[in-house]
Amino acid sequence: MTGAPLLLVHPGDHGVAVYARDMADAVRDVAEVRTVDAAGLARLPAGTSVHAHFTDRLWGDSPEQASRTFAELASRLRVSVTLHDVPQASDGQQNRPRRRAAYARVAEASSAVVVNSEHERELLREEDVWSGAVEVIPLPVELEKNAGRGRPDGSVGVLGFFYPGKGHDEVAEAAAAAGIGALTVLGRASDGHAAELETFVRRSAAIGVDVDVTGWLDDAEIARRGRAVSVPVIAHRHISASGSLASWIGWGRRPVAVRNRYVDEMAALRPGTLYPVGESDLVGALRHACTNPDATWHGLARLPMSRADVAQAYLGLWAGRAS
């Protein structure tokens, strides 16, 4: 398709790298596009159009290095970008200004800026990162076909990498108060947080909640385990956009989701797929969901913004940029 750039893909299991590869595949399903890896960038002629996905941890060892690497690339090539993990208060007093500056530099260097939610577009403005044009293209949800319900295993489940602020402590405390003695961490510790995960497991045991950490699982196995937990939960303290939320919905689950601006936006985008609750109502919601299993499944056969829909949205963006 005229105007479609090369799609930059990264190796590894970082969530943004996995997403960039998945979206490249989705775009290739509907249009002729090519990908390029980091090693191939140096061979591209000046001015070549490239679309990249940016989160600072994927591009460097520090926000400063990551944004410098991106800006150097964008000084030679025409780079549009999807921003992930947008800076916000949960970054803390030390990292928040550094990440703000890094993302501002990336946005300024880019030919077009994309985020995955209206919430993130507002964050860019609220954090004084970027006030220019921003395209919103939500994370896709692809429903698994012919996937039956798992046999409930009696646990509440939190999906994705473990890191402080992901909501694990809140879920464990609510589970204990609701009389649910098991919590499944579907995933592994985020890099640098293994010791904190071990501490969390001990802390949860002290309040009567047994934690099962699955570690890394392939796509088929994590979907099977995700369909087996009794109550899927999303309780991030702060959130940019959530691949975990999209995965739960894709597996047919209707997770209990502590309300925030992003959760409310996604509940409106795909009605019936979330069980939004206030933080003070989490205990009651877990208890209700555990005793009413049907409440944790959405039962929908079609949803807006599938992989194909999102691919077409990107193609429309690039075609408009080229015109």
Side-chain angles (χ1 to χ4, degrees), residues 88-106:
Q88 55 188 294
S90 57
D91 293 324
Q93 292 184 352
Q94 180 176 355
N95 283 330
R96 190 180 187 183
R98 297 172 64 201
R99 297 191 74 243
R100 279 174 166 173
Y103 276 67
R105 186 177 189 182
V106 168

Side-chain angles (χ1 to χ4, degrees), residues 89-313:
S90 57
D91 293 324
Q93 292 184 352
Q94 180 176 355
N95 283 330
R96 190 180 187 183
R98 297 172 64 201
R99 297 191 74 243
R100 279 174 166 173
Y103 276 67
R105 186 177 189 182
V106 168
E108 179 68 33
S110 301
S111 61
V113 175
V114 180
V115 291
N116 298 126
S117 63
E118 297 286 351
H119 162 63
E120 289 171 300
R121 177 155 61 184
E122 285 302 299
L123 276 178
L124 292 179
R125 182 183 59 80
E126 292 164 357
E127 295 290 321
D128 294 323
V129 170
W130 180 245
S131 58
V134 179
E135 185 79 11
V136 175
I137 302 179
L139 296 176
V141 169
E142 196 72 15
L143 288 172
E144 281 200 358
K145 305 299 182 185
N146 305 316
R149 297 187 181 188
R151 183 176 182 178
D153 65 7
S155 75
V156 296
V158 180
L159 174 63
F161 289 102
F162 175 94
Y163 55 83
K166 186 71 178 282
H168 292 82
D169 275 295
E170 290 82 353
V171 173
E173 290 166 9
I180 303 170
L183 187 155
T184 302
V185 175
L186 289 155
R188 64 171 180 83
S190 184
D191 291 345
H193 296 293
E196 288 161 301
L197 176 55
E198 292 175 2
T199 300
F200 165 72
V201 171
R202 292 194 297 270
R203 189 164 57 241
S204 298
I207 60 172
V209 177
D210 180 46
V211 176
D212 175 19
V213 180
T214 68
W216 182 89
L217 299 173
D218 64 27
D219 290 347
E221 182 61 11
I222 200 168
R224 186 190 71 78
R225 293 292 301 268
R227 292 192 299 269
V229 300
S230 291
V231 186
V233 189
I234 295 169
H236 299 48
R237 292 180 200 163
H238 299 276
I239 195 167
S240 184
S242 175
S244 300
L245 181 150
S247 293
W248 283 127
I249 296 171
W251 298 334
R253 304 308 303 263
R254 181 177 178 241
V256 173
V258 175
R259 290 187 61 189
N260 54 39
R261 189 166 63 190
Y262 179 74
V263 165
D264 288 347
E265 181 182 345
M266 293 300 103
L269 177 64
R270 301 183 179 100
T273 59
L274 297 176
Y275 180 177
V277 299
E279 190 171 342
S280 62
D281 299 321
L282 182 57
V283 174
L286 296 188
R287 188 181 291 120
H288 172 80
C290 196
T291 56
N292 296 273
D294 285 350
T296 72
W297 297 87
H298 59 69
L300 300 174
R302 298 190 67 180
L303 293 171
M305 298 310 290
S306 66
R307 288 173 79 252
D309 295 331
V310 170
Q312 291 291 356

Side-chain angles (χ1 to χ4, degrees), residues 51 79-82 106-107 109-114 133-135 317-318 321:
H51 186 82
V79 185
S80 57
V81 68
T82 300
V106 168
S110 301
S111 61
V113 175
V114 180
V134 179
E135 185 79 11
L317 166 72
W318 298 323
R321 187 185 62 156

